[in-house]
Amino acid sequence: QSALTQPASVSGSPGQSITISCTGTSSDVGGYNYVSWYQQHPGKAPKLLIFDVTNRPSGVSDRFSGSKSGNTASLTISGLLAEDEAHYYCCSYTSSSTRIFGGGTKLTVL
Amino acid sequence: EVQLVESGGGLVQPGGSLRLSCAASGFTFSRYWMHWVRQAPGKGLVWVSRSNSDGFSTTYADSVKGRFTISRDNAKNTLYLQMNSLRVEDSAVYYCARQGGTPYIDYWGQGTLVTVSS
């Protein structure tokens, strides 16, 4: 099964907002409200940012928000900070009871 | 504090075997589903396998099905990944991860590196 489709890179200036898309199929992203998003800094383990499409775990900044329309989920980061520079991955539950990740998006804060 | 500590990685020849372990602490291990996720150097995250809370229900990615086996010992708070018939393309950092209340991963270990090379 191929990875969910994410843009390879996005960029933005401090204070701006950016959105990262994550496109799948009706067998994963479109079929369930079980999309999660992770942030990964170099050499570190991933960190959960969003679960079940729109929910933020306690301790995660409200600058991070998630949404979904059809087979595409999105992560929006508002008020960009230098520390937001990292890789971001989406993940979805699938109809086979497996999980599938996106290919990852490198965010550069200009 | 939730802690997941992987071990067992290393260098192995193609066709060889390796068993990874993940020691869990800071939560009631026996109540949680657990996953293995891998990441090849410079590449993205790839889901590998998951176990339900009692270990009797497991699923695998097609790429490892029939070669890898996930298991757990709830008395020892430990998750395992037995990897057989290893291939060069299995080289990666392997992360142990906990599933939250719905099908998402909420906590990750720091990973253990597996290198398959002759």
Short mmCIF file of all heavy atoms in Angstrom, two decimals, chain A residues 33-97:
data_model
loop_
_atom_site.label_atom_id
_atom_site.label_comp_id
_atom_site.label_asym_id
_atom_site.label_seq_id
_atom_site.Cartn_x
_atom_site.Cartn_y
_atom_site.Cartn_z
N ASN A 33 -12.72 8.87 10.71
CA ASN A 33 -12.23 10.09 11.37
C ASN A 33 -11.08 9.76 12.30
O ASN A 33 -11.09 10.13 13.48
CB ASN A 33 -13.37 10.79 12.11
CG ASN A 33 -14.34 11.44 11.16
OD1 ASN A 33 -13.95 12.00 10.13
ND2 ASN A 33 -15.63 11.38 11.48
N TYR A 34 -10.11 9.04 11.75
CA TYR A 34 -8.97 8.58 12.54
C TYR A 34 -7.66 9.02 11.88
O TYR A 34 -6.77 8.20 11.62
CB TYR A 34 -8.99 7.07 12.68
CG TYR A 34 -10.12 6.54 13.54
CD1 TYR A 34 -10.79 5.36 13.20
CD2 TYR A 34 -10.52 7.22 14.69
CE1 TYR A 34 -11.81 4.88 13.99
CE2 TYR A 34 -11.55 6.73 15.48
CZ TYR A 34 -12.19 5.56 15.13
OH TYR A 34 -13.21 5.09 15.91
N VAL A 35 -7.55 10.30 11.61
CA VAL A 35 -6.31 10.86 11.08
C VAL A 35 -5.56 11.54 12.22
O VAL A 35 -6.14 12.27 13.02
CB VAL A 35 -6.57 11.89 9.96
CG1 VAL A 35 -5.26 12.54 9.51
CG2 VAL A 35 -7.27 11.22 8.78
N SER A 36 -4.28 11.27 12.29
CA SER A 36 -3.43 11.90 13.30
C SER A 36 -2.24 12.56 12.61
O SER A 36 -1.90 12.23 11.47
CB SER A 36 -2.96 10.88 14.35
OG SER A 36 -2.40 9.74 13.73
N TRP A 37 -1.64 13.50 13.32
CA TRP A 37 -0.50 14.25 12.78
C TRP A 37 0.64 14.22 13.80
O TRP A 37 0.41 14.32 15.02
CB TRP A 37 -0.90 15.70 12.51
CG TRP A 37 -1.80 15.87 11.32
CD1 TRP A 37 -3.16 15.86 11.33
CD2 TRP A 37 -1.40 16.09 9.96
NE1 TRP A 37 -3.64 16.06 10.05
CE2 TRP A 37 -2.57 16.21 9.20
CE3 TRP A 37 -0.15 16.21 9.32
CZ2 TRP A 37 -2.55 16.44 7.82
CZ3 TRP A 37 -0.13 16.44 7.96
CH2 TRP A 37 -1.32 16.55 7.22
N TYR A 38 1.87 14.14 13.29
CA TYR A 38 3.06 14.05 14.13
C TYR A 38 4.11 15.05 13.65
O TYR A 38 4.24 15.29 12.45
CB TYR A 38 3.64 12.63 14.09
CG TYR A 38 2.62 11.61 14.54
CD1 TYR A 38 1.76 11.03 13.63
CD2 TYR A 38 2.49 11.28 15.89
CE1 TYR A 38 0.79 10.13 14.04
CE2 TYR A 38 1.52 10.38 16.31
CZ TYR A 38 0.68 9.82 15.38
OH TYR A 38 -0.30 8.95 15.79
N GLN A 39 4.85 15.56 14.61
CA GLN A 39 5.98 16.44 14.36
C GLN A 39 7.25 15.68 14.71
O GLN A 39 7.31 15.04 15.76
CB GLN A 39 5.87 17.70 15.22
CG GLN A 39 7.03 18.67 15.12
CD GLN A 39 6.96 19.73 16.21
OE1 GLN A 39 7.01 19.43 17.40
NE2 GLN A 39 6.81 20.98 15.80
N GLN A 40 8.25 15.76 13.85
CA GLN A 40 9.51 15.09 14.14
C GLN A 40 10.69 16.01 13.85
O GLN A 40 10.90 16.44 12.72
CB GLN A 40 9.67 13.80 13.32
CG GLN A 40 10.89 12.99 13.72
CD GLN A 40 11.05 11.72 12.92
OE1 GLN A 40 10.72 11.66 11.75
NE2 GLN A 40 11.54 10.66 13.58
N HIS A 41 11.44 16.32 14.90
CA HIS A 41 12.68 17.07 14.73
C HIS A 41 13.81 16.09 14.45
O HIS A 41 13.72 14.91 14.82
CB HIS A 41 12.98 17.89 15.99
CG HIS A 41 12.09 19.08 16.14
ND1 HIS A 41 11.06 19.14 17.06
CD2 HIS A 41 12.06 20.26 15.47
CE1 HIS A 41 10.45 20.31 16.97
NE2 HIS A 41 11.03 21.01 16.01
N PRO A 42 14.88 16.55 13.80
CA PRO A 42 15.98 15.65 13.42
C PRO A 42 16.54 14.87 14.60
O PRO A 42 16.83 15.45 15.65
CB PRO A 42 17.03 16.61 12.84
CG PRO A 42 16.23 17.76 12.34
CD PRO A 42 15.09 17.91 13.31
N GLY A 43 16.65 13.57 14.41
CA GLY A 43 17.21 12.71 15.44
C GLY A 43 16.31 12.43 16.63
O GLY A 43 16.74 11.79 17.59
N LYS A 44 15.08 12.89 16.55
CA LYS A 44 14.13 12.71 17.66
C LYS A 44 12.98 11.80 17.26
O LYS A 44 12.72 11.58 16.08
CB LYS A 44 13.58 14.06 18.10
CG LYS A 44 14.63 15.05 18.56
CD LYS A 44 15.31 14.58 19.84
CE LYS A 44 16.24 15.64 20.39
NZ LYS A 44 16.92 15.19 21.62
N ALA A 45 12.28 11.30 18.27
CA ALA A 45 11.08 10.52 18.02
C ALA A 45 9.94 11.44 17.61
O ALA A 45 9.93 12.63 17.98
CB ALA A 45 10.70 9.73 19.27
N PRO A 46 8.99 10.93 16.86
CA PRO A 46 7.82 11.75 16.51
C PRO A 46 7.03 12.14 17.76
O PRO A 46 7.06 11.45 18.77
CB PRO A 46 6.99 10.82 15.61
CG PRO A 46 7.97 9.83 15.10
CD PRO A 46 8.95 9.62 16.21
N LYS A 47 6.31 13.26 17.64
CA LYS A 47 5.47 13.76 18.72
C LYS A 47 4.06 13.96 18.18
O LYS A 47 3.88 14.55 17.12
CB LYS A 47 6.01 15.09 19.24
CG LYS A 47 5.10 15.80 20.24
CD LYS A 47 5.58 17.21 20.53
CE LYS A 47 4.59 17.97 21.40
NZ LYS A 47 5.00 19.38 21.60
N LEU A 48 3.08 13.48 18.93
CA LEU A 48 1.68 13.61 18.51
C LEU A 48 1.23 15.07 18.61
O LEU A 48 1.37 15.70 19.66
CB LEU A 48 0.80 12.72 19.39
CG LEU A 48 -0.71 12.81 19.17
CD1 LEU A 48 -1.08 12.27 17.78
CD2 LEU A 48 -1.45 12.04 20.26
N LEU A 49 0.62 15.57 17.53
CA LEU A 49 0.09 16.93 17.51
C LEU A 49 -1.44 16.95 17.46
O LEU A 49 -2.08 17.78 18.13
CB LEU A 49 0.59 17.68 16.27
CG LEU A 49 2.07 17.98 16.13
CD1 LEU A 49 2.33 18.65 14.79
CD2 LEU A 49 2.55 18.85 17.28
N ILE A 50 -2.02 16.08 16.65
CA ILE A 50 -3.46 16.04 16.41
C ILE A 50 -3.90 14.58 16.33
O ILE A 50 -3.19 13.76 15.73
CB ILE A 50 -3.84 16.74 15.09
CG1 ILE A 50 -3.47 18.23 15.12
CG2 ILE A 50 -5.32 16.55 14.76
CD1 ILE A 50 -4.33 19.09 16.02
N PHE A 51 -5.03 14.24 16.93
CA PHE A 51 -5.59 12.91 16.76
C PHE A 51 -7.08 13.01 16.42
O PHE A 51 -7.72 14.01 16.72
CB PHE A 51 -5.34 12.05 18.00
CG PHE A 51 -6.08 12.50 19.24
CD1 PHE A 51 -7.30 11.95 19.59
CD2 PHE A 51 -5.54 13.49 20.07
CE1 PHE A 51 -7.97 12.36 20.73
CE2 PHE A 51 -6.20 13.89 21.22
CZ PHE A 51 -7.42 13.33 21.54
N ASP A 52 -7.59 11.96 15.81
CA ASP A 52 -8.99 11.92 15.40
C ASP A 52 -9.38 13.18 14.63
O ASP A 52 -10.40 13.82 14.92
CB ASP A 52 -9.89 11.73 16.62
CG ASP A 52 -9.66 10.40 17.32
OD1 ASP A 52 -8.90 9.58 16.78
OD2 ASP A 52 -10.21 10.19 18.41
N VAL A 53 -8.56 13.53 13.67
CA VAL A 53 -8.74 14.63 12.71
C VAL A 53 -8.55 16.01 13.32
O VAL A 53 -7.82 16.84 12.76
CB VAL A 53 -10.12 14.57 12.01
CG1 VAL A 53 -10.27 15.74 11.04
CG2 VAL A 53 -10.30 13.25 11.28
N THR A 54 -9.24 16.29 14.44
CA THR A 54 -9.26 17.67 14.94
C THR A 54 -8.82 17.85 16.39
O THR A 54 -8.70 18.99 16.85
CB THR A 54 -10.70 18.23 14.85
OG1 THR A 54 -11.56 17.42 15.66
CG2 THR A 54 -11.21 18.24 13.41
N ASN A 55 -8.57 16.78 17.10
CA ASN A 55 -8.31 16.88 18.54
C ASN A 55 -6.84 17.08 18.87
O ASN A 55 -5.97 16.42 18.29
CB ASN A 55 -8.82 15.63 19.25
CG ASN A 55 -10.31 15.49 19.14
OD1 ASN A 55 -11.06 16.41 19.43
ND2 ASN A 55 -10.76 14.34 18.69
N ARG A 56 -6.59 17.98 19.82
CA ARG A 56 -5.23 18.25 20.28
C ARG A 56 -5.01 17.62 21.63
O ARG A 56 -5.82 17.81 22.55
CB ARG A 56 -4.99 19.76 20.43
CG ARG A 56 -4.23 20.44 19.35
CD ARG A 56 -3.92 21.88 19.73
NE ARG A 56 -4.89 22.50 20.58
CZ ARG A 56 -5.96 23.15 20.13
NH1 ARG A 56 -6.18 23.21 18.83
NH2 ARG A 56 -6.81 23.71 20.98
N PRO A 57 -3.89 16.88 21.81
CA PRO A 57 -3.59 16.36 23.15
C PRO A 57 -3.27 17.53 24.09
O PRO A 57 -2.87 18.61 23.63
CB PRO A 57 -2.34 15.50 22.94
CG PRO A 57 -2.21 15.31 21.47
CD PRO A 57 -2.89 16.46 20.83
N SER A 58 -3.42 17.29 25.37
CA SER A 58 -3.06 18.34 26.32
C SER A 58 -1.57 18.64 26.18
O SER A 58 -0.75 17.74 25.99
CB SER A 58 -3.38 17.91 27.75
OG SER A 58 -2.67 16.73 28.07
N GLY A 59 -1.23 19.91 26.24
CA GLY A 59 0.16 20.33 26.15
C GLY A 59 0.59 20.75 24.75
O GLY A 59 1.66 21.34 24.58
N VAL A 60 -0.24 20.44 23.75
CA VAL A 60 0.07 20.87 22.38
C VAL A 60 -0.54 22.25 22.14
O VAL A 60 -1.71 22.48 22.44
CB VAL A 60 -0.44 19.86 21.35
CG1 VAL A 60 -0.29 20.41 19.92
CG2 VAL A 60 0.31 18.53 21.48
N SER A 61 0.25 23.13 21.58
CA SER A 61 -0.18 24.50 21.36
C SER A 61 -1.43 24.57 20.47
O SER A 61 -1.58 23.79 19.52
CB SER A 61 0.94 25.29 20.68
OG SER A 61 0.51 26.56 20.26
N ASP A 62 -2.31 25.53 20.77
CA ASP A 62 -3.50 25.70 19.93
C ASP A 62 -3.18 26.36 18.60
O ASP A 62 -4.09 26.65 17.81
CB ASP A 62 -4.59 26.48 20.69
CG ASP A 62 -4.14 27.86 21.11
OD1 ASP A 62 -3.01 28.28 20.75
OD2 ASP A 62 -4.91 28.54 21.82
N ARG A 63 -1.92 26.60 18.34
CA ARG A 63 -1.51 27.07 17.00
C ARG A 63 -1.62 25.93 15.97
O ARG A 63 -1.59 26.19 14.77
CB ARG A 63 -0.08 27.60 17.02
CG ARG A 63 0.14 28.79 17.92
CD ARG A 63 1.57 29.34 17.80
NE ARG A 63 2.59 28.35 18.16
CZ ARG A 63 3.37 27.74 17.28
NH1 ARG A 63 3.24 27.99 15.96
NH2 ARG A 63 4.27 26.86 17.68
N PHE A 64 -1.71 24.71 16.47
CA PHE A 64 -1.84 23.54 15.59
C PHE A 64 -3.31 23.14 15.52
O PHE A 64 -3.96 22.96 16.55
CB PHE A 64 -1.01 22.37 16.12
CG PHE A 64 0.47 22.63 16.12
CD1 PHE A 64 1.09 23.14 17.25
CD2 PHE A 64 1.24 22.36 15.00
CE1 PHE A 64 2.45 23.39 17.26
CE2 PHE A 64 2.60 22.60 15.00
CZ PHE A 64 3.21 23.11 16.13
N SER A 65 -3.83 22.97 14.31
CA SER A 65 -5.21 22.54 14.15
C SER A 65 -5.34 21.61 12.96
O SER A 65 -4.54 21.65 12.03
CB SER A 65 -6.15 23.75 13.98
OG SER A 65 -5.81 24.47 12.81
N GLY A 66 -6.35 20.73 13.02
CA GLY A 66 -6.55 19.76 11.96
C GLY A 66 -7.96 19.81 11.42
O GLY A 66 -8.89 20.24 12.10
N SER A 67 -8.10 19.35 10.18
CA SER A 67 -9.41 19.30 9.54
C SER A 67 -9.39 18.20 8.48
O SER A 67 -8.33 17.62 8.18
CB SER A 67 -9.76 20.65 8.91
OG SER A 67 -8.83 20.97 7.88
N LYS A 68 -10.57 17.92 7.92
CA LYS A 68 -10.65 16.91 6.86
C LYS A 68 -11.82 17.23 5.95
O LYS A 68 -12.87 17.67 6.42
CB LYS A 68 -10.84 15.52 7.47
CG LYS A 68 -10.66 14.37 6.48
CD LYS A 68 -10.98 13.02 7.10
CE LYS A 68 -12.47 12.73 7.04
NZ LYS A 68 -12.78 11.33 7.35
N SER A 69 -11.61 16.99 4.66
CA SER A 69 -12.68 17.11 3.68
C SER A 69 -12.51 15.99 2.68
O SER A 69 -11.49 15.93 1.98
CB SER A 69 -12.64 18.47 2.97
OG SER A 69 -13.64 18.55 1.98
N GLY A 70 -13.48 15.10 2.62
CA GLY A 70 -13.37 13.96 1.73
C GLY A 70 -12.16 13.11 2.04
O GLY A 70 -11.96 12.69 3.18
N ASN A 71 -11.35 12.86 1.03
CA ASN A 71 -10.17 12.01 1.20
C ASN A 71 -8.91 12.78 1.58
O ASN A 71 -7.81 12.21 1.57
CB ASN A 71 -9.90 11.23 -0.09
CG ASN A 71 -10.99 10.23 -0.41
OD1 ASN A 71 -11.74 9.81 0.47
ND2 ASN A 71 -11.10 9.86 -1.67
N THR A 72 -9.04 14.06 1.89
CA THR A 72 -7.89 14.89 2.21
C THR A 72 -8.01 15.50 3.61
O THR A 72 -9.00 16.16 3.92
CB THR A 72 -7.71 16.02 1.18
OG1 THR A 72 -7.48 15.45 -0.12
CG2 THR A 72 -6.52 16.90 1.54
N ALA A 73 -6.99 15.25 4.40
CA ALA A 73 -6.88 15.87 5.72
C ALA A 73 -5.85 17.00 5.65
O ALA A 73 -4.98 17.00 4.77
CB ALA A 73 -6.46 14.84 6.76
N SER A 74 -5.95 17.92 6.58
CA SER A 74 -5.03 19.06 6.58
C SER A 74 -4.59 19.41 7.99
O SER A 74 -5.37 19.28 8.94
CB SER A 74 -5.69 20.29 5.93
OG SER A 74 -6.04 20.05 4.59
N LEU A 75 -3.35 19.84 8.08
CA LEU A 75 -2.79 20.38 9.33
C LEU A 75 -2.45 21.84 9.08
O LEU A 75 -1.75 22.15 8.12
CB LEU A 75 -1.52 19.63 9.72
CG LEU A 75 -0.73 20.20 10.90
CD1 LEU A 75 -1.50 19.96 12.21
CD2 LEU A 75 0.67 19.58 10.98
N THR A 76 -2.97 22.71 9.93
CA THR A 76 -2.66 24.13 9.83
C THR A 76 -1.86 24.56 11.04
O THR A 76 -2.21 24.21 12.18
CB THR A 76 -3.93 24.98 9.72
OG1 THR A 76 -4.64 24.62 8.52
CG2 THR A 76 -3.59 26.46 9.68
N ILE A 77 -0.77 25.25 10.79
CA ILE A 77 0.04 25.83 11.85
C ILE A 77 -0.03 27.34 11.71
O ILE A 77 0.33 27.88 10.66
CB ILE A 77 1.51 25.37 11.77
CG1 ILE A 77 1.60 23.84 11.67
CG2 ILE A 77 2.28 25.86 12.99
CD1 ILE A 77 3.01 23.32 11.44
N SER A 78 -0.53 28.00 12.73
CA SER A 78 -0.65 29.46 12.68
C SER A 78 0.43 30.10 13.55
O SER A 78 1.00 29.45 14.44
CB SER A 78 -2.04 29.89 13.17
OG SER A 78 -2.25 29.44 14.48
N GLY A 79 0.73 31.35 13.28
CA GLY A 79 1.74 32.05 14.06
C GLY A 79 3.06 31.32 14.08
O GLY A 79 3.62 31.06 15.14
N LEU A 80 3.57 30.99 12.89
CA LEU A 80 4.79 30.18 12.78
C LEU A 80 5.91 30.69 13.68
O LEU A 80 6.19 31.90 13.76
CB LEU A 80 5.28 30.17 11.34
CG LEU A 80 4.72 29.10 10.40
CD1 LEU A 80 5.29 29.29 9.01
CD2 LEU A 80 5.00 27.71 10.92
N LEU A 81 6.58 29.73 14.34
CA LEU A 81 7.75 30.01 15.15
C LEU A 81 8.93 29.26 14.57
O LEU A 81 8.76 28.23 13.91
CB LEU A 81 7.53 29.56 16.59
CG LEU A 81 6.34 30.18 17.33
CD1 LEU A 81 6.17 29.50 18.69
CD2 LEU A 81 6.56 31.68 17.52
N ALA A 82 10.13 29.72 14.86
CA ALA A 82 11.33 29.04 14.36
C ALA A 82 11.36 27.58 14.82
O ALA A 82 11.80 26.70 14.08
CB ALA A 82 12.57 29.78 14.84
N GLU A 83 10.87 27.33 16.00
CA GLU A 83 10.90 25.97 16.56
C GLU A 83 9.93 25.02 15.85
O GLU A 83 9.99 23.81 16.06
CB GLU A 83 10.54 26.01 18.05
CG GLU A 83 9.11 26.43 18.34
CD GLU A 83 8.94 27.01 19.74
OE1 GLU A 83 9.75 27.88 20.12
OE2 GLU A 83 8.00 26.59 20.42
N ASP A 84 9.06 25.55 15.00
CA ASP A 84 8.15 24.70 14.24
C ASP A 84 8.84 24.02 13.06
O ASP A 84 8.28 23.13 12.44
CB ASP A 84 6.96 25.50 13.72
CG ASP A 84 6.09 26.07 14.82
OD1 ASP A 84 6.05 25.47 15.92
OD2 ASP A 84 5.46 27.13 14.59
N GLU A 85 10.06 24.46 12.76
CA GLU A 85 10.79 23.86 11.64
C GLU A 85 11.09 22.41 11.97
O GLU A 85 11.79 22.09 12.94
CB GLU A 85 12.08 24.63 11.36
CG GLU A 85 12.80 24.14 10.12
CD GLU A 85 13.78 25.15 9.57
OE1 GLU A 85 13.36 26.25 9.15
OE2 GLU A 85 15.00 24.85 9.60
N ALA A 86 10.53 21.49 11.17
CA ALA A 86 10.59 20.06 11.44
C ALA A 86 9.93 19.33 10.28
O ALA A 86 9.45 19.95 9.33
CB ALA A 86 9.86 19.73 12.74
N HIS A 87 9.90 18.00 10.38
CA HIS A 87 9.12 17.19 9.46
C HIS A 87 7.77 16.89 10.10
O HIS A 87 7.67 16.70 11.32
CB HIS A 87 9.84 15.88 9.15
CG HIS A 87 10.90 16.00 8.12
ND1 HIS A 87 12.20 16.36 8.43
CD2 HIS A 87 10.88 15.85 6.77
CE1 HIS A 87 12.94 16.40 7.32
NE2 HIS A 87 12.14 16.09 6.29
N TYR A 88 6.74 16.83 9.25
CA TYR A 88 5.39 16.55 9.72
C TYR A 88 4.82 15.37 8.95
O TYR A 88 4.97 15.29 7.72
CB TYR A 88 4.50 17.79 9.54
CG TYR A 88 4.91 18.91 10.47
CD1 TYR A 88 5.94 19.77 10.14
CD2 TYR A 88 4.29 19.07 11.71
CE1 TYR A 88 6.36 20.78 11.01
CE2 TYR A 88 4.69 20.08 12.58
CZ TYR A 88 5.73 20.91 12.22
OH TYR A 88 6.14 21.90 13.09
N TYR A 89 4.17 14.47 9.69
CA TYR A 89 3.62 13.27 9.09
C TYR A 89 2.15 13.11 9.47
O TYR A 89 1.79 13.30 10.64
CB TYR A 89 4.36 12.02 9.57
CG TYR A 89 5.80 11.95 9.15
CD1 TYR A 89 6.81 12.49 9.95
CD2 TYR A 89 6.17 11.35 7.94
CE1 TYR A 89 8.13 12.43 9.55
CE2 TYR A 89 7.50 11.29 7.55
CZ TYR A 89 8.47 11.82 8.36
OH TYR A 89 9.79 11.76 7.96
N CYS A 90 1.33 12.74 8.49
CA CYS A 90 -0.04 12.35 8.79
C CYS A 90 -0.09 10.83 8.88
O CYS A 90 0.81 10.14 8.40
CB CYS A 90 -1.02 12.86 7.74
SG CYS A 90 -0.74 12.25 6.07
N CYS A 91 -1.13 10.33 9.51
CA CYS A 91 -1.31 8.89 9.65
C CYS A 91 -2.81 8.61 9.70
O CYS A 91 -3.57 9.37 10.31
CB CYS A 91 -0.65 8.39 10.94
SG CYS A 91 -0.81 6.60 11.19
N SER A 92 -3.24 7.54 9.06
CA SER A 92 -4.64 7.18 9.06
C SER A 92 -4.84 5.71 9.37
O SER A 92 -4.01 4.87 9.01
CB SER A 92 -5.27 7.49 7.70
OG SER A 92 -6.63 7.07 7.66
N TYR A 93 -5.94 5.43 10.01
CA TYR A 93 -6.43 4.05 10.15
C TYR A 93 -6.93 3.62 8.78
O TYR A 93 -7.36 4.46 7.98
CB TYR A 93 -7.56 4.03 11.17
CG TYR A 93 -8.21 2.68 11.39
CD1 TYR A 93 -7.60 1.73 12.18
CD2 TYR A 93 -9.43 2.38 10.81
CE1 TYR A 93 -8.20 0.50 12.41
CE2 TYR A 93 -10.04 1.16 11.02
CZ TYR A 93 -9.42 0.21 11.81
OH TYR A 93 -10.01 -1.00 12.02
N THR A 94 -6.85 2.31 8.49
CA THR A 94 -7.31 1.83 7.18
C THR A 94 -8.38 0.74 7.33
O THR A 94 -8.55 0.15 8.39
CB THR A 94 -6.16 1.26 6.35
OG1 THR A 94 -5.88 -0.09 6.79
CG2 THR A 94 -4.89 2.08 6.47
N SER A 95 -9.02 0.45 6.23
CA SER A 95 -10.06 -0.58 6.21
C SER A 95 -9.51 -1.97 6.50
O SER A 95 -10.28 -2.89 6.78
CB SER A 95 -10.79 -0.55 4.87
OG SER A 95 -9.87 -0.78 3.82
N SER A 96 -8.21 -2.15 6.41
CA SER A 96 -7.58 -3.44 6.72
C SER A 96 -7.12 -3.52 8.17
O SER A 96 -6.41 -4.45 8.55
CB SER A 96 -6.36 -3.66 5.81
OG SER A 96 -6.72 -3.59 4.45
N SER A 97 -7.54 -2.54 8.96
CA SER A 97 -7.14 -2.45 10.37
C SER A 97 -5.65 -2.21 10.54
O SER A 97 -5.08 -2.50 11.59
CB SER A 97 -7.55 -3.70 11.16
OG SER A 97 -8.94 -3.87 11.14
#
